[in-house]
Amino acid sequence: MSADGVLRIENVGMRFGGLWALKGVSFEVRPGSIVGLIGPNGSGKTTLMNVISGVVKPAEGEVAYAGRTIADVPTHDVCRLGIARTFQVVKPFAGLTVRENVAVGAMYGRDGATLSTAACFDRAQALLEEVGLARVAERPASDLTIPDRKRLEVAKALALDPSLLLLDEVMAGLNASEVDEALHLLRAVNARGVTLIVVEHLMKAIMSISTSIVVLAEGKKIAEGLPAEIVASPAVVEAYLGARYAARQGRGRT
Ligand SMILES: Nc1ncnc2c1ncn2[C@@H]1O[C@H](COP(=O)(O)OP(=O)(O)OP(=O)(O)O)[C@@H](O)[C@H]1O
Ligand SMILES: [Mg+2]
């Protein structure tokens, strides 16, 4: 099989002092899929995002995207491979306007070197409309509410024109209708051919959007499968979902 577009995570281990934040984690993400990455607080989800996006190098194992090992690639070049990510703790350029923040993303994206400044601003404007931020395009990013900062993170990442997008809790703090809008947006992005890895604690959202789910607990992968398999997994219920969630789904054990 061709390695085109496949993300391969092989036996990844990452330690902070004496703590293994990740240990022996392996799975594959097929192009076009939406993989939900779930697990309790501190289970290693953000650390794995950091490893995949090249922000940190794993102590053990390997990550390869489209046949290329990420560890060889300087962090600032990982996005040129087509990988973009959002940050759980959002980091806009506070002194720039919302539109400028997104335009900077376009300038540093895969085709940024070939785009004119005007083209970068055009792309930024289109993305702001898509994520629902056109109304605050001229405001400094530091003025935004938390939900709007999450939207800005998504727009900045999309401006890089990724083929693989890593989303770290972009729906946290949104109300129910805003979550529905976010899901609609992510499905539209995926329909354009962008592979997604979605970290989220909102189970209803993650179960509805994911084509498959990987579950971490204490840095280890404890389950992988279809959403329906995951909610019925006794190990996942025990480590994360809890019996009440599983019972609500009508499949679990109480
Ligand atoms: N830079 C760091 N230095 C030391 N320990 C760290 C660092 N980053 C993460 N850790 C530890 O690694 C473990 C995994 O953290 P991580 O942030 O990846 O979890 P998470 O699954 O994203 O949690 P949450 O759901 O709360 O966001 C935790 O025990 C955390 O305290
Ligand atoms: Mg996290």
Side-chain angles (χ1 to χ4, degrees):
M1 192 180 89
S2 146
D4 273 0
V6 177
L7 176 74
R8 211 165 264 130
I9 293 157
E10 266 176 38
N11 202 29
V12 162
M14 183 72 208
R15 75 190 266 180
F16 297 108
L19 171 90
W20 284 94
L22 296 169
K23 186 73 181 156
V25 174
S26 301
F27 62 94
E28 261 183 32
V29 177
R30 285 198 299 275
S33 59
I34 303 181
V35 173
L37 181 61
I38 65 173
N41 293 120
S43 55
K45 304 179 298 294
T46 295
T47 303
L48 187 55
M49 296 295 218
N50 288 339
V51 169
I52 297 169
S53 58
V55 173
V56 296
K57 306 247 170 280
E60 297 178 346
E62 185 168 283
V63 175
Y65 183 58
R68 279 207 58 182
T69 303
I70 303 280
D72 296 346
V73 179
T75 309
H76 56 273
D77 278 342
V78 169
C79 72
R80 298 208 190 265
L81 295 180
I83 301 178
R85 57 89 55 90
T86 66
F87 286 88
Q88 182 174 357
V89 180
V90 297
K91 300 174 178 172
F93 302 109
L96 301 185
T97 66
V98 169
R99 187 187 289 113
E100 286 165 346
N101 262 273
V102 181
V104 169
M107 287 167 197
Y108 285 92
R110 269 194 292 179
D111 51 1
T114 63
L115 287 179
S116 68
T117 303
C120 291
F121 274 87
D122 286 350
R123 181 184 286 176
Q125 184 60 31
L127 287 168
L128 290 177
E129 279 160 26
E130 189 170 13
V131 305
L133 284 181
R135 62 197 152 76
V136 288
E138 302 295 342
R139 300 265 287 278
S142 53
D143 279 6
L144 295 188
T145 60
I146 293 289
D148 279 350
R149 284 177 191 225
K150 299 269 177 185
R151 293 184 178 99
L152 178 56
E153 276 291 304
V154 175
K156 278 168 61 186
L158 286 173
L160 295 164
D161 188 27
S163 50
L164 170 64
L165 176 58
L166 315 176
L167 298 153
D168 199 353
E169 298 201 26
V170 293
M171 291 179 249
L174 302 188
N175 67 30
S177 69
E178 290 168 339
V179 167
D180 285 344
E181 283 167 28
L183 291 172
H184 183 77
L185 169 69
L186 297 186
R187 287 195 181 97
V189 168
N190 178 248
R192 298 205 291 262
V194 181
T195 307
L196 304 178
I197 301 181
V198 184
V199 170
E200 211 61 61
H201 285 291
L202 301 169
M203 280 311 106
K204 205 172 144 206
I206 202 91
M207 292 299 170
S208 80
I209 198 169
S210 301
T211 50
S212 69
I213 297 207
V214 170
V215 189
L216 296 180
E218 296 178 351
K220 299 195 181 75
K221 184 180 87 172
I222 60 162
E224 179 175 7
L226 300 173
E229 293 166 346
I230 294 300
V231 290
S233 156
V236 177
V237 170
E238 163 127 5
Y240 183 47
L241 295 179
R244 281 176 56 206
Y245 177 84
R248 252 198 335 267
Q249 299 302 305
R251 300 187 186 90
R253 307 185 319 181
T254 51

